[in-house]
Amino acid sequence: MPQRERDLSCDVLVVGSGAGGLSTAITARKAGLDVIIIEKDQYFGGTTAFSGGVLWIPGNWHARDAGVTDSREAARTYLKHEAGNHFDDAAIDAFLDAGPRMLDFFEKETEAKFVLSAYPDYHPDVEGGAKVGRSVTVAPYDARALGEDIRRLRPPLETITFIGMMFNSSNDELKHFFRVTSSLASAIYVAKRLASHLWDLARYRRGVKITSGNALAARLARTALDLRIPLLTNTPAQRLIGGNGTVAGAVVSDAKGEYRITARRAVVLASGGFPHDQARIARAYPHLARGGEHLSPTPSANTGDGIRMAEEAGGSCDIRFPNAAAWMPVSRVPLGNRIGVFPHLVDRYKPGVVAVNRQGRRFTNESESYHDVGAAMIADSAGSEETAAWLICDHTTIRKYGLGYAKPAPVPVGIFVRNGYLKRGATLRELAAASGIDADGLEKTVRTYNESAVHGIDREFKRGSTAFNRYLGDAEHKPNPNVAPIGGGPYYALKIIMGDLGTFDGLTTDVVGRVLVRDGAAIPGLYAVGNDRASIMGGNYPGAGITLGPIMTFGYITGRHLAGQQA
């Protein structure tokens, strides 16, 4: 078929199908515009489908209904501290004003539904910080509601599921799995859950009881499909089209070749930032610039296509923030003839687990956020090419909580030692030799740590001193949910390196998302949302959902702006 016979037209062309692209498309369509979404990958959902599905929205109605006391002024004060010199008054005010309205809109007008999360802010003791109320989590979803399109929903990240099974966002379900060998009620629960999941795998080749970001992506996609928005997967944008400084669409491609999609109002870039643009991250990430390693669990299709096309049209993506990405310590998981990526979200918080560097020394509070621990790893390794650390624990601890991809009892731990994922030693010196850690340093660190840990105290880094530290610890471990001594051998070590949850630096835009050239003028017809747009957080990570909350809020703002409406 000739290209011109395949050409399409719309009011708004959205490039990318994560929360940024989907929220913009849905908002614009609800306002009466004709929208097309294109997605480079075979799956829709983007990085959102791998995420926790948490939105940070100060002033949300769920918190008000729960009686949580908070104020816009307190949230603004907190963000001013967190963003520092990169605090953008106009963007922050737009986010704080429109965020609650965005949440109301999506809960009333779409399939998206949320519940209040118990997450504290990541720095709750900073002025303006909150111990609860600003984060909401997407409600679980039955993926069968997608019908045939279930096969196009990005599966959850393989390494954080159990044979593809996702867990409820609360810790209640996980507790049953932790107690499976010690509680009859938990054993019955787990048996029923496994039987149901195996039946789903047989019928649908994936789990259908989905949670977290997978549920958010599915809910938004279901809404877009119900609104008859074409969601074209396996359809990458090749280049923007237009003339005289105006963007009027894009050349895209699929299995049949290239064709054009004309956009009467705008092209909106939502292609997930640049976590797999190797040339750009080599300049942006300090540990890569000095020759280190980086392993991102984000979708491999996120290669900075939107940013590249915007730059070709005159836009700019400066590396401006002290941290160019949301850092995530990860480990390399042997999966047969391939390598998986495990993001260390919760194991670091558990009592009896510490992190040390190659010298065997602790260097940070392991129970801080993944971003803060990642930044500490980068700073601690500044004098060497390798940016790495090792999580250390004893046998009792690993059997109770697991460590990384290694699951707790009754899953055997030996397989992870045999495939090299874990190192094991009968003594700390033997463990150090197997792991490449300084033995004297490790023995001294454990001895010093244990002196106060037996009393539930971490004298050096004060683990368990904030509400956020304690939230992901073991609430049943007293007196400190994050601190326990390291007992007798055998001992285990797991090497962690740097990864990310997505990039913070991105295209320079105005508040409504118009891509700007360096003199501050907007490029007519070109917008950016999601991680293609620079984060309002200034390279910091203030709380759970500070990526998706602003992403959906500015998607809402941009969608309404394109329709001539205020948010």
Side-chain angles (χ1 to χ4, degrees), residues 119 122 159-160 167-171 174 178 328-330 342-354 366-370 373 391 397 400-408 463 468-474 481-482 494:
Y119 266 110
Y122 286 174
T159 54
I160 60 173
F167 297 99
N168 290 335
S169 53
S170 73
N171 287 325
L174 275 175
F178 284 141
M328 170 59 76
V330 301
F342 183 90
H344 287 265
L345 293 159
V346 296
D347 53 357
R348 299 174 289 102
Y349 299 85
K350 297 300 185 282
V353 178
V354 298
E366 299 90 345
S367 297
E368 295 289 13
S369 75
Y370 34 81
V373 171
L391 296 178
T397 297
K400 183 173 184 180
Y401 303 114
L403 190 67
Y405 188 64
K407 306 299 188 288
R463 282 178 69 173
F468 173 67
N469 279 189
R470 297 188 292 272
Y471 177 67
L472 289 174
D474 179 356
N482 304 106
L494 173 56

Side-chain angles (χ1 to χ4, degrees), residues 419-450:
N419 70 13
Y421 182 65
L422 296 174
K423 301 298 183 184
R424 181 166 60 190
T427 65
L428 289 172
R429 295 196 74 84
E430 187 177 309
L431 180 71
S435 307
I437 303 171
D438 180 80
D440 291 338
L442 180 61
E443 284 188 328
K444 180 180 179 181
T445 292
V446 171
R447 185 169 58 250
T448 302
Y449 168 77
N450 280 351

Side-chain angles (χ1 to χ4, degrees), residues 99-153:
R101 298 173 196 163
M102 176 278 297
L103 198 66
D104 292 347
F105 169 82
F106 276 93
E107 293 205 270
K108 291 175 181 176
E109 300 286 334
T110 79
E111 286 289 310
K113 299 293 181 285
F114 298 89
V115 296
L116 185 65
S117 169
Y119 266 110
D121 286 345
Y122 286 174
H123 308 129
D125 297 336
V126 167
E127 185 180 2
K131 291 182 171 59
V132 72
R134 292 175 179 168
S135 296
V136 296
T137 304
V138 68
Y141 194 59
D142 188 333
R144 290 176 294 185
L146 288 170
E148 289 297 316
D149 288 301
I150 190 174
R151 62 184 174 81
R152 296 200 296 152
L153 171 65

Side-chain angles (χ1 to χ4, degrees), residues 510-535:
D510 64 10
V511 171
V512 298
R514 290 176 292 206
V515 176
L516 306 179
V517 297
R518 291 198 177 276
D519 66 4
I523 301 172
L526 187 61
Y527 291 70
V529 297
N531 284 353
D532 279 357
R533 168 182 175 153
S535 168

Side-chain angles (χ1 to χ4, degrees), residues 526-561:
L526 187 61
Y527 291 70
V529 297
N531 284 353
D532 279 357
R533 168 182 175 153
S535 168
I536 63 170
M537 298 298 167
N540 209 338
Y541 214 116
I546 59 88
T547 302
L548 285 176
I551 277 176
M552 287 190 63
T553 299
F554 285 104
Y556 171 73
I557 289 172
T558 296
R560 290 185 63 84
H561 170 79

Side-chain angles (χ1 to χ4, degrees), residues 57-121:
I57 304 290
N60 68 79
W61 70 266
H62 293 281
R64 291 198 307 272
D65 281 5
V68 175
T69 302
D70 196 7
S71 70
R72 182 187 186 282
E73 292 71 27
R76 195 176 193 276
T77 297
Y78 182 59
L79 288 176
K80 194 160 192 176
H81 173 273
E82 295 294 291
N85 293 334
H86 295 283
F87 183 84
D88 183 329
D89 290 84
I92 294 296
D93 286 338
F95 167 64
L96 292 174
D97 290 341
R101 298 173 196 163
M102 176 278 297
L103 198 66
D104 292 347
F105 169 82
F106 276 93
E107 293 205 270
K108 291 175 181 176
E109 300 286 334
T110 79
E111 286 289 310
K113 299 293 181 285
F114 298 89
V115 296
L116 185 65
S117 169
Y119 266 110
D121 286 345

Side-chain angles (χ1 to χ4, degrees), residues 188-208:
I188 293 171
Y189 179 92
V190 169
K192 290 181 177 179
R193 183 74 169 88
L194 283 173
S196 174
H197 177 68
L198 291 172
W199 174 245
D200 292 337
L201 288 180
R203 293 185 67 190
Y204 304 104
R205 299 184 180 179
R206 61 160 295 156
V208 299

